[in-house]
Amino acid sequence: MPRDYYEILGVPRSATDPELKKAYRQLAMQFHPDRNRGDKDAEDRFKEVSEAYGVLSDPEKRAHFDRFGTVGSTAGGGFTDTGFGTLFEDIFENFFSGGSRSSRRSRASHGEDLQYELKITLEEAASGVETKIQIPRLEPCGVCRGTGVESGSQLETCDFCRGRGEVRRTHGFLTVAQPCPKCQGAGQLNRRPCPSCRGEGRQRSERLLSVKIPAGIEDGMQLRLSGEGSGGINGGPAGDLYVLVRIREHEIFARDGVDLYCDLPVAFPQLALGAEVEVPVLDGTVKLRIPPGSQPGQVLKLKGKGMPHLRQRGHGDAGYRLILEVPQKLNAKQREALLAFEAASKQERGPLALAFLERMKKLFG
Ligand SMILES: [Zn+2]
Ligand SMILES: [Zn+2]
């Protein structure tokens, strides 16, 4: 579901980049998984603030969000790594290096969340659709079962940091802890990496998933497929997959919530005399009655012919805006008929014309 990223970070819409960063740091530290072990709410909040910052710190994404209230995604239905992990590392790289995170890399951790943009038609949004999507993602390596180590071999304790993952350097009065350069903070060394995944523990793979899009879904809504993101690291849980639904523009209908609208070109006699015309609905055509004396711009509605309510009974309406089309050329017979019509109606003015004449009289005496 689209959320207000400014609200999540608790900043005004005018917030500058440093203000955003400050707000993000504060919240991310408060909800960081390392400080809230096993607290699912904190973890969700952490993801939420990370996502919000990920969007608002990117000028392009922020502009898109300001304009449309949604996150613009890669065009053409690709997938993007929402990148909570890397974002976190960017900002906190130096922050925790002196703390207790010495063996971060060797510890089990969550796989990345992924986002997939799925384009569907308005008809599919109306009926609901079950479709298959191909998701490229990282999965635990089957050969080493995600450990990254060749079978029969084991991780060795790093001799440089003696397994602590960090080294301390003294500058004058100050002792600074830094991640161990040999093991990159893992505290362990992989001397015999699994040849299949080159020690990563995970491999690129594609997975075919079935997604059920509920009837009535709106453009920009996201479905969360729990555990269908990238596989976890060192046996950690998999991330989630977010399917962002985009609805293609329709040839005829514009959508406003559960209502549909279209412009219906009509001729003057149809408005004046009334008519029955065939109009499109999402699943075919139906007859629409134009009452005599209808006005251009008037919207005629067909009850229940709009979009279904999401996870609720009932449908919205389909509205047809009457667009008067005046002939640009007249044949002799039409001309004659119209002149006769004009001659017959000279003394009669409609309420709009009469009111206008009144106003002119007032103005010019
Ligand atoms: Zn492997
Ligand atoms: Zn080391």
Side-chain angles (χ1 to χ4, degrees), residues 141-149 194-203:
C141 171
V143 175
C144 62
R145 293 207 178 80
T147 61
V149 186
C194 163
S196 179
C197 63
R198 277 176 265 148
E200 290 294 314
R202 297 193 298 172
Q203 282 179 313

Side-chain angles (χ1 to χ4, degrees), residues 122-283:
L122 190 61
E123 283 85 354
E124 287 171 331
S127 61
V129 64
E130 196 166 348
T131 185
K132 297 235 187 300
I133 56 177
Q134 186 104 4
I135 306 294
R137 63 179 186 182
L138 293 168
E139 286 185 10
C141 171
V143 175
C144 62
R145 293 207 178 80
T147 61
V149 186
E150 201 175 40
S151 76
S153 176
Q154 278 185 328
L155 292 175
E156 286 175 27
T157 303
C158 174
D159 51 357
F160 195 82
C161 61
R162 273 166 287 168
R164 292 221 317 270
E166 63 182 31
V167 288
R168 288 173 186 276
R169 292 220 168 86
T170 306
H171 303 282
F173 298 109
L174 215 65
T175 301
V176 183
Q178 285 178 328
C180 168
K182 188 162 181 183
C183 63
Q184 279 87 41
Q188 288 172 313
L189 295 172
N190 187 353
R191 293 213 193 264
R192 308 196 61 137
C194 163
S196 179
C197 63
R198 277 176 265 148
E200 290 294 314
R202 297 193 298 172
Q203 282 179 313
R204 282 229 160 265
S205 83
E206 298 238 319
R207 195 169 143 94
L208 197 63
L209 286 176
S210 189
V211 193
K212 208 169 172 179
I213 307 294
I217 194 142
E218 291 188 37
D219 184 63
M221 284 182 169
Q222 289 197 100
L223 302 171
R224 191 176 81 148
L225 276 68
S226 182
E228 296 293 355
S230 274
I233 297 158
N234 286 311
D240 298 332
L241 171 68
Y242 291 87
V243 177
L244 172 67
V245 176
R246 288 285 176 206
I247 298 173
R248 290 198 173 91
E249 209 167 294
H250 194 268
E251 291 281 346
I252 288 179
F253 287 109
R255 179 185 189 177
D256 180 18
V258 289
D259 296 327
L260 294 173
Y261 287 94
C262 91
D263 282 349
L264 182 68
V266 286
F268 173 73
Q270 290 178 301
L271 295 184
L273 300 170
E276 200 176 70
V277 294
E278 194 156 286
V279 294
V281 286
L282 273 184
D283 54 0

Side-chain angles (χ1 to χ4, degrees), residues 3 26 31 43 56 66 72 89 98 112 115 155 172 183 186 194 198 201 229 273 320 356 359:
R3 285 161 296 178
Q26 255 163 20
F31 296 114
E43 188 189 317
L56 297 182
D66 286 346
E89 278 166 19
E112 295 86 355
Q115 191 185 59
L155 292 175
C183 63
C194 163
R198 277 176 265 148
L273 300 170
Y320 301 85
F356 188 71
R359 285 202 294 274

